[in-house]
Amino acid sequence: MSTKYHVTTTVNGDECDFLCEPQQTLLDVLRDELTFTGTKEGCATGDCGACSVMVDGRLLCSCLVLAVEAEGKHIDTIEGMARGDELHPLQRKFLELNGLQCGICTPGFLIAARDLLERNPDPTESEVRYWLAGNLCRCTGYDKIIRSVLAAAEEMRGA
């Protein structure tokens, strides 16, 4: 029988406690134990970015983080982006400009794009493409994703 560890963390501003086995990933605990199913598993090797979350202000692939490492950390997932029924400007622009299709990669793109826009509210197209290079999409061809991020940036700046 494997030893389980008690972890206390903060997810989307709310304190959470869970028990996990030493080999469980943060992705597995978020989805299976805490029911934050918006974070998706695309590859389980850190290559696609679908499972991207923010951990203490750092953009990370949750499939590469052990759940026990979340002790005392602040985690932001896609579920924390909207404020009640009000979508984040990135979410709205992805919908309006068709920046999503199947939806597997979308949460990771949104989390990564929000991180970019918090660091750089007026990125160039090249900067957006560079920042999102760790996220893979098999459906859209990226152009609509990039346009959605740039449109959201413009709206967020009030331009």
Side-chain angles (χ1 to χ4, degrees), residues 78 80-100 106 109-111 113-114 117-118 121 144-159:
I78 190 66
M81 250 179 115
R83 297 288 172 230
D85 291 337
E86 183 182 338
L87 295 178
H88 187 280
L90 280 163
Q91 292 171 306
R92 277 198 324 279
K93 292 302 178 186
F94 265 64
L95 287 170
E96 290 170 12
L97 301 175
N98 300 311
L100 66 143
T106 305
F109 271 107
L110 288 168
I111 292 291
R114 182 181 67 182
L117 297 182
E118 286 173 357
K144 292 177 182 179
I145 293 169
I146 303 305
R147 282 192 270 146
S148 298
V149 173
L150 291 170
E154 185 176 347
E155 178 182 315
M156 291 168 69
R157 288 191 315 271

Side-chain angles (χ1 to χ4, degrees), residues 28-141:
D28 290 337
V29 167
L30 286 171
R31 290 184 57 79
D32 300 337
E33 308 296 329
L34 301 176
T35 65
F36 290 104
T37 57
T39 303
K40 305 299 184 201
E41 181 174 346
C43 67
T45 59
D47 293 317
C48 75
C51 67
S52 295
V53 297
M54 298 298 294
V55 179
D56 283 349
R58 290 185 58 209
L59 182 64
L60 298 174
C61 290
S62 61
C63 70
L64 297 179
V65 177
L66 293 174
V68 295
E69 294 177 290
E71 175 63 40
K73 306 280 191 213
H74 293 271
I75 300 165
D76 293 307
T77 71
I78 190 66
E79 286 88 353
M81 250 179 115
R83 297 288 172 230
D85 291 337
E86 183 182 338
L87 295 178
H88 187 280
L90 280 163
Q91 292 171 306
R92 277 198 324 279
K93 292 302 178 186
F94 265 64
L95 287 170
E96 290 170 12
L97 301 175
N98 300 311
L100 66 143
Q101 285 187 19
C102 80
I104 295 296
C105 69
T106 305
F109 271 107
L110 288 168
I111 292 291
R114 182 181 67 182
D115 185 37
L116 167 64
L117 297 182
E118 286 173 357
R119 295 170 187 268
N120 179 2
D122 191 14
T124 65
E125 180 179 332
S126 293
E127 289 169 328
V128 173
R129 288 182 183 278
Y130 178 82
W131 194 264
L132 298 181
N135 294 76
L136 301 178
C137 175
R138 292 177 174 94
C139 300
T140 68

